[in-house]
Amino acid sequence: MIYRSLTALLMSVLLGACSSESGDATASQQVAKDKPNIVIIFTDDMGYGDMSNSGHPTIKTYNLDRMAAEGQKWTNFYVAASVCTPSRAGLLTGRLPVRSGMASSQRRVLFPDSKGGLPQTEITIAEHLKSLGYSTGMVGKWHLGHLPEYLPTSNGFDSWYGIPYSNDMDMNLDLVASVNDEDWERRHVIHPENPGVHWKNPKSEYWDVPLMQGEEILERAPDQHQLTKSYTEKAVEFIKANKEDPFFLYLAHSMPHVPLFTSEEFSGVSTAGLYGDVIEEIDWSVGQVIKTLEEEGLSENTMVVFTSDNGPWDIYKTLGGSAGMLRGAKGSVFEGGVREPTIFSWPGKIQPAIIHDIGSTLDILPTASNLAGGSLDYQVDGYDLTEVLTEVEVGPREEMFFYGGDVLRAVRLGRYKAHFYDENREKLDQPWLYDLNEDPGEKYDIAADNPEVVARLAAYALQHEQGVVPVVNQLER
Ligand code: MG
């Protein structure tokens, strides 16, 4: 505690010295100092075990490792869902996707033929921060509705460059069939236990996805080898163009969602094969963002959050990532599907630490709001994490609700997690119970020895479910 106080004292002296030097600061610079910039770097389908600092033996993530060492690494950080669309709805609204109609057990995500999207009644981080004077930019994968009224520019972002949904959509069926054997459809759709040629040796022309700027389609089937690099360039441009104002940047990589692509510079660099190459290019991209913030003198006024939207897509074997010691993967409410590699960085402000408290992407909106001097007068499912970040106080979050589609399948309360369904989504007669402190891999069911804990979690889950108001389902439209 004494060490923390001394550090805080030293910081306030240093910050005081800095601000007295800039006595001629203009009003806009003053505003910029009061409100921190916020950058979210979001990857797609990256696993808990895919960073070298989380133990991956054949992927090198020097920039993420540095960020983790200098910032806070959160080891119990959850997404709002284990697939793309609902996870992103949760991140951007701070509300469980079931509340906005962005979760479905029939269609798990939005597709190119979907008519729905994030309802206008929902307030995104971008909309909220914009109301507080922020410039807002997005680069990368959206996946919250591709019709004009649902695009990022209709949801609080001043600018957007990227792809409206996943990079494996709009598949050119004739082309893909022509490079595979007659079994390709089974391999792609039903159970790709032996991924087809189009996955193992992907070509951009197999997927006619649109690359967009604002509401304009720049091109179809863009060169996906360039995506990580071009997203990074756009992100760096945005930071440089908006350095005088407080800004919010949401950089949502399309990678490492299959099909996997890297630029030429990263082809073959990793011992872990194509998936490792992709992660090492993303790590490079993180380094470029951090370097730009440093060069522009913005580091000490910018919080950077790195995390992923859901666990690794393990059905693609080595083309998917690794959840490390965790059980389950993308699409599952077991830990490997929902617990993500997460780092917060903000030199001089965030206390370097490894945090075992529970956190969630749902918490980013309330935290950003507090840091920006805002307030929220509507129901959110997130908590303000500021005091954990800056003082290493005990975290405010005790619970996490785990939905598969729009069905509550598991709940965590403190150290315990109860599952009400098995991995095949069959309702269990008796819930399974795990102690995630002692058993983060969910190996040992302790329900039989702890009936009172099971009853407490079941009652807690029921109380939560009774409070969720049904809304129009956007994924089934
Ligand atoms: Mg995903």
Side-chain angles (χ1 to χ4, degrees), residues 42-46 81-85 87-88 109 141 143 166 253-254 256-257 308-311 313 330:
F42 209 50
T43 57
D44 195 352
D45 296 2
M46 182 172 167
S82 62
V83 289
C84 301
T85 297
S87 174
R88 285 151 203 270
V109 298
K141 172 177 169 175
H143 217 174
S166 296
H253 285 288
S254 287
H257 189 292
S308 175
D309 71 332
N310 53 250
W313 211 351
K330 176 175 180 171

Side-chain angles (χ1 to χ4, degrees), residues 214-228:
E215 283 127 58
E216 303 295 321
I217 294 178
L218 299 175
E219 59 177 322
R220 286 267 177 183
D223 181 358
Q224 293 206 37
H225 293 96
Q226 303 305 318
L227 282 184
T228 300

Side-chain angles (χ1 to χ4, degrees), residues 181-390:
D181 54 34
E182 69 282 356
D183 218 17
W184 81 270
E185 197 166 31
R186 183 183 66 83
R187 290 176 172 188
H188 170 62
V189 180
I190 303 167
H191 192 234
E193 73 280 358
N194 182 15
V197 170
H198 61 296
W199 298 118
K200 289 181 187 162
N201 183 21
K203 298 198 179 348
S204 298
E205 56 264 36
Y206 299 162
W207 295 275
D208 288 327
V209 290
L211 179 64
M212 300 183 67
Q213 177 98 53
E215 283 127 58
E216 303 295 321
I217 294 178
L218 299 175
E219 59 177 322
R220 286 267 177 183
D223 181 358
Q224 293 206 37
H225 293 96
Q226 303 305 318
L227 282 184
T228 300
K229 195 197 276 184
S230 65
Y231 287 178
T232 306
E233 286 166 2
K234 294 287 180 185
V236 166
E237 273 173 34
F238 175 84
I239 292 169
K240 289 182 174 175
N242 292 281
K243 62 185 176 188
E244 302 299 334
D245 298 320
F247 63 77
F248 168 53
L249 169 64
Y250 174 39
L251 169 54
H253 285 288
S254 287
M255 299 293 138
H257 189 292
V258 295
L260 301 173
F261 291 93
T262 68
S263 66
E264 210 174 314
E265 292 94 311
F266 286 87
S267 175
V269 298
S270 166
T271 317
L274 179 54
Y275 185 85
D277 293 349
V278 166
I279 296 296
E280 293 192 17
E281 186 162 27
I282 288 172
D283 182 69
W284 163 85
S285 173
V286 169
Q288 293 300 111
V289 170
I290 301 284
K291 183 166 147 244
T292 303
L293 294 171
E294 287 170 353
E295 287 173 357
E296 299 296 335
L298 299 168
S299 297
E300 295 191 356
N301 197 40
T302 304
M303 181 173 79
V304 181
V305 188
F306 177 91
T307 191
S308 175
D309 71 332
N310 53 250
W313 211 351
D314 66 338
I315 57 173
Y316 287 98
K317 295 186 168 175
T318 58
L319 300 176
S322 166
M325 72 185 297
L326 305 179
R327 174 174 170 179
K330 176 175 180 171
S332 165
V333 298
F334 284 83
E335 295 289 292
V338 289
R339 193 191 291 216
E340 297 305 320
T342 303
I343 305 167
F344 287 79
S345 134
W346 184 355
K349 183 77 174 181
I350 284 179
Q351 296 277 333
I354 295 172
I355 302 294
H356 290 164
D357 297 338
I358 306 172
S360 170
T361 48
L362 296 165
D363 303 333
I364 294 176
L365 183 142
T367 305
S369 172
N370 177 53
L371 292 170
S375 61
L376 302 171
D377 57 2
Y378 57 95
Q379 182 185 23
V380 293
D381 295 292
Y383 295 90
D384 174 13
L385 302 180
T386 304
E387 291 192 354
V388 190
L389 295 168
T390 59

Side-chain angles (χ1 to χ4, degrees), residues 28 33 59 75 93 157 258 311 318 419:
S28 75
K33 282 200 164 58
I59 297 177
T75 61
T93 63
F157 289 99
V258 295
T318 58
H419 285 267

